[in-house]
């Protein structure tokens, strides 16, 4: 179906749809049951880094390697809106909240931004990290957000106000991901330093360091 390399592939929460993003500049929606392409999103203007579903799979978010972020109607394949993050600073990562109403983006200059996914308005934009944001995620209830950065830290944000609740410091190399448990009492980070760490997100305390890898996590 794609005319280039497939750089990401995800399933909808119900498992009935697959979503792929390609260097050919398009994302494709597929029926898991039939294997048929249901929608092609994009006109191939720039290679796509990744594509994500909202929780109910009604909306798709695509990120290109030049940093453009677009929201799409998954049923019609039509563009809903562009998230005008910055004309000069590419978006490096993004995540939907569990209710699909918010989108968190991380930028290559270390900034993070929260968006209203319904109207495309930027709710807040914060300078926290001083190097590129590598991953973005939400807690299960959407009350706080997480970013991980090449500056070696992860940050916990109040999703509504954009206030930084905690900075998780302890890795010696770039942090590649930060995710919260479903109960929201534990955060897990991974790093180029070959370790993963478990944190209390409210106190910022590192509870455990998971070592053993000989290379990047």
């Amino acid at each position: 179906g794609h005319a280039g390399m497939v750089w990401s592939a995800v399933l909808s929460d119900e498992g009935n749809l697959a979503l792929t993003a390609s260097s050919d500049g398009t994302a494709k929606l597929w029926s898991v049951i039939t294997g048929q392409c249901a929608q092609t999103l994009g006109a191939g203007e720039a290679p796509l880094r990744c594509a994500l579903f909202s929780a109910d799979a009604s909306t798709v978010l695509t990120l290109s390697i030049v940093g453009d972020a677009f929201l799409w109607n998954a049923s019609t394949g039509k563009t809903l809106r562009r998230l005008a993050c910055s004309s000069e600073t590419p978006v490096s990562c993004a995540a939907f909240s569990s209710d699909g109403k918010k989108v968190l983006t991380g930028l290559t200059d270390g900034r993070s931004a929260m968006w209203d996914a319904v109207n495309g308005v930027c709710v807040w934009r914060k300078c926290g990290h001083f190097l590129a944001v590598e991953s973005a995620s939400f807690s299960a209830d959407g009350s706080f957000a997480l970013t991980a950065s090449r500056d070696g830290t992860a940050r916990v944000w109040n999703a509504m106000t954009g206030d930084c609740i905690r900075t998780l410091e302890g890795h010696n190399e770039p942090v590649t991901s930060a995710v919260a448990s479903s109960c929201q009492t534990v955060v897990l980070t991974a790093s180029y330093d070959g370790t993963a760490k478990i944190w209390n997100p409210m106190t910022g305390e590192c509870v455990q360091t998971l070592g053993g890898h000989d290379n990047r996590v």
Side-chain angles (χ1 to χ4, degrees):
H2 287 289
M5 293 182 292
V6 177
W7 285 351
S8 81
V10 295
L11 288 169
S12 62
D13 282 356
E14 292 187 358
N16 60 324
L17 292 172
L19 175 63
T20 54
S22 171
S23 63
D24 67 10
T26 67
K28 289 181 180 289
L29 280 163
W30 307 84
S31 166
V32 170
I33 296 173
T34 67
Q36 297 298 307
C37 178
Q39 294 288 352
T40 297
L41 312 177
E45 295 178 358
L48 295 185
R49 180 194 306 272
C50 66
L52 308 168
F53 280 116
S54 61
D56 63 1
S58 65
T59 307
V60 167
L61 173 67
T62 59
L63 295 182
S64 75
I65 64 168
V66 297
D68 291 324
F70 283 91
L71 292 170
W72 307 80
N73 184 305
S75 297
T76 65
K78 301 296 184 182
T79 307
L80 295 174
R81 59 195 55 86
R82 177 179 181 269
L83 301 183
C85 302
S86 172
S87 60
E88 299 177 354
T89 307
V91 179
S92 52
C93 56
F96 276 107
S97 61
S98 59
D99 62 7
K101 295 180 179 179
K102 303 186 200 71
V103 171
L104 176 67
T105 57
L107 279 66
T108 57
D109 65 1
R111 288 181 296 165
S112 304
M114 187 69 70
W115 302 84
D116 185 317
V118 177
N119 56 32
V121 172
C122 184
V123 179
W124 54 258
R125 184 181 284 117
K126 298 289 182 177
C127 297
H129 299 287
F130 62 86
L131 291 175
V133 180
E134 292 284 290
S135 81
S137 64
F138 282 90
S139 61
D141 68 357
S143 63
F144 67 86
L146 294 162
T147 54
S149 170
R150 294 186 67 85
D151 68 9
T153 69
R155 286 179 180 258
V156 184
W157 306 87
N158 182 306
M160 182 170 292
T161 66
D163 293 332
C164 181
I165 301 170
R166 287 286 181 267
T167 299
L168 309 181
E169 299 178 281
H171 286 291
N172 300 318
E173 298 287 345
V175 180
T176 55
S177 68
V179 293
S181 62
S182 59
C183 63
Q184 306 183 165
T185 58
V186 173
V187 165
L188 176 67
T189 58
S191 171
Y192 279 16
D193 66 11
T195 69
K197 289 179 181 289
I198 298 171
W199 309 79
N200 180 319
M202 295 300 104
T203 66
E205 177 189 3
C206 179
V207 181
Q208 295 285 349
T209 296
L210 311 178
H213 291 288
D214 296 324
N215 212 322
R216 300 174 179 177
V217 179

